[in-house]
Amino acid sequence: MVSPSAWDRRPSHCPICELYPSAVYPKGEECEYPPSKDGRSAAWRTTHEEKRVLDKANEEMWSDFRQAAEAHRQVRNYINTWIKPGMTMINICERLEDCSRRLIKENGLKAGLAFPTGCSINHVAAHYTPNAGDPTVLQYNDVCKIDFGTHINGRIIDCAFTVTFNPKYDRLLEAVRDATNTGIREGEVYAIETFGSTGRGAVHGDMDCSHYMKNFNVGHVPIRLPRAKHLLNVINENFGTLAFCRRWLDRQGESKYLMALKNLCDLGIIDPYPPLCDTKGSYTAQYEHTILLRPTCKEVVSRGDDY
């Protein structure tokens, strides 16, 4: 489990890499693998010499994940000290992302934000972040999913939680937290992302799109519009194949790019990811953790005292 001292301080203006000059970052929660089909325990992995050597050989990679995870933990603890009804969703996202960029010590594609901050509300389950001019304000009766990611050298921490103010949602949140922890115990996966809903439990694309990502498998596609060529260069330079949002294009100084962005989407170079919604009037909750499948054990690297 993560050292309690990691949670004793408020988020610092100092990047995580400078808080840990030895580059030894807090570990997450270490769990045994499930028993084999014949019922044999997997505890032998923790002491098996070959597994220990393989584990140590990958220490640089584990360290990148842990550094990104420590930044994520400190940012989300910081969020919970100030997020409240009456704030605009744009203000919430920008304050969160400013803190993330500082703690991860943003450095081009080597370190930074892994994807846009999701702040999906109520029946909107995922992939909503406000575009410029969005006036949406967080309300007391809202169920808001905060889903953001950090990365070091492309090693991504994808971790999410749900914010509510009205205690009537406590049982919904508890059920989704329990489901996430159950998934962590039963499955050998890199991420456990669990949603619960008071609606149909099925989602569909709806609302204005804000999330986009370059198609990793796309080959050479001729682009005729000069504005689209320029926008693709901006995307390649700043985001690569990481997800991005329109606010981040605004932040790069881009303007009047919607036609160019649509052209890139129509050509299949960029994939749009519109908000995923359940039925209107329902409420959805989400919890998510990132897991390292190490040779010796599973490490819930994003685990914290909060969830």
Side-chain angles (χ1 to χ4, degrees):
M1 191 64 181
V2 180
S3 167
S5 64
W7 319 124
D8 291 342
R9 57 180 178 270
R10 296 179 64 184
S12 170
H13 288 283
C14 185
I16 298 301
C17 61
E18 296 175 15
L19 287 175
Y20 292 88
S22 64
V24 178
Y25 303 102
K27 290 183 179 180
E29 177 189 18
E30 294 181 327
C31 313
E32 285 185 6
Y33 281 99
S36 60
K37 291 183 179 180
D38 60 7
R40 289 188 300 170
S41 168
W44 62 271
R45 286 176 168 269
T46 61
T47 56
H48 191 275
E49 186 60 28
E50 182 180 353
K51 298 295 184 185
R52 290 167 64 91
V53 169
L54 286 172
D55 204 15
K56 190 172 182 179
N58 288 292
E59 190 60 37
E60 183 177 344
M61 180 168 61
W62 309 146
S63 180
D64 285 347
F65 278 112
R66 290 169 186 151
Q67 180 183 348
E70 178 65 9
H72 197 286
R73 282 189 289 266
Q74 290 203 27
V75 171
R76 69 189 193 233
N77 286 341
Y78 169 64
I79 297 164
N80 282 315
T81 66
W82 53 258
I83 190 169
K84 60 184 179 182
M87 298 182 69
T88 66
M89 305 314 295
I90 284 183
N91 182 237
I92 291 169
C93 290
E94 288 182 345
R95 286 184 67 175
L96 183 158
E97 290 169 359
D98 286 346
C99 185
S100 288
R101 289 187 171 102
R102 182 173 70 247
L103 294 189
I104 206 68
K105 199 172 185 179
E106 187 175 44
N107 180 21
L109 296 177
K110 294 182 179 179
L113 310 187
F115 49 84
T117 300
C119 55
S120 306
I121 300 172
N122 300 335
H123 73 289
V124 183
H127 295 174
Y128 163 76
T129 198
N131 292 320
D134 187 331
T136 306
V137 172
L138 185 62
Q139 306 291 336
Y140 174 78
N141 285 314
D142 284 341
V143 177
C144 180
K145 282 71 64 182
I146 302 292
D147 188 351
F148 70 101
T150 51
H151 83 90
I152 297 291
N153 295 319
R155 281 138 188 178
I156 294 172
I157 294 298
D158 188 353
C159 188
F161 61 100
T162 301
V163 173
T164 59
F165 308 98
N166 190 328
K168 72 178 183 179
Y169 303 118
D170 288 354
R171 292 185 65 185
L172 172 63
L173 269 60
E174 181 182 358
V176 180
R177 272 196 304 266
D178 288 348
T180 301
N181 288 327
T182 297
I184 288 170
R185 287 192 300 270
E186 290 177 347
E188 296 189 5
V189 296
Y190 286 105
I192 292 288
E193 182 173 16
T194 308
F195 290 86
S197 174
T198 63
R200 295 174 55 242
V203 295
H204 60 278
D206 198 4
M207 305 168 53
D208 287 341
C209 188
S210 57
H211 285 55
Y212 301 85
M213 187 163 64
K214 185 178 177 184
N215 186 335
F216 181 78
N217 295 313
V218 71
H220 175 71
V221 178
I223 303 174
R224 294 186 177 182
L225 292 179
R227 191 71 183 84
K229 290 181 180 179
H230 166 79
L231 185 62
L232 181 59
N233 287 336
V234 171
I235 292 168
N236 285 333
E237 182 177 344
N238 292 283
F239 313 120
T241 55
L242 293 171
F244 62 94
C245 62
R246 283 157 57 178
R247 282 188 298 105
W248 291 2
L249 292 175
D250 300 338
R251 188 171 180 269
Q252 295 299 323
E254 296 302 306
S255 62
K256 300 180 179 179
Y257 53 76
L258 290 181
M259 183 178 294
L261 183 58
K262 182 180 185 302
N263 181 242
L264 293 176
C265 291
D266 290 343
L267 291 171
I269 298 171
I270 300 295
D271 290 326
Y273 293 87
L276 299 176
C277 303
D278 204 327
T279 55
K280 289 185 178 179
S282 66
Y283 298 93
T284 60
Q286 172 194 18
Y287 284 90
E288 178 181 17
H289 274 301
T290 295
I291 301 166
L292 304 182
L293 302 185
R294 290 166 43 198
T296 55
C297 66
K298 293 192 294 184
E299 182 180 341
V300 189
V301 68
S302 55
R303 179 73 82 191
D305 283 358
D306 48 353
Y307 64 94

